[in-house]
Amino acid sequence: MFRVLLVDVHMMIRKGIRVLLEGFSEIDIAGERNNGNEAVLSTAQLKPAVVLMDLSMPNGLDGFTASSE
């Protein structure tokens, strides 16, 4: 099993991806965040194997910048 962190500014996108991924028994959703700043902090805390992140998020770090943190 591996843990996935979902990061997108749009809640409906996150929820839709969550519903799709929850259909796979080997995937555990570690959490959902709505901006790059939260993603960086949560990655350090939750230690997901995969971060599925929108690249163009307003308000703080975008996905490109957050990925390099």
Side-chain angles (χ1 to χ4, degrees), residues 2-57:
F2 63 95
R3 297 167 51 83
V4 176
L5 176 63
L6 304 174
V7 185
D8 195 301
V9 68
H10 300 97
M11 181 187 67
M12 291 304 292
I13 298 294
R14 291 192 318 266
K15 297 297 181 191
I17 293 170
R18 175 185 275 274
V19 167
L20 289 172
L21 294 179
E22 285 177 336
F24 296 93
S25 60
E26 64 273 5
I27 297 176
D28 175 40
I29 304 299
E32 297 180 25
R33 302 298 180 262
N34 67 9
N35 64 54
N37 295 328
E38 291 179 0
V40 171
L41 293 173
S42 294
T43 299
Q45 295 170 344
L46 300 173
K47 304 208 184 321
V50 175
V51 178
L52 186 57
M53 182 165 26
D54 185 358
L55 295 178
S56 59
M57 293 181 289

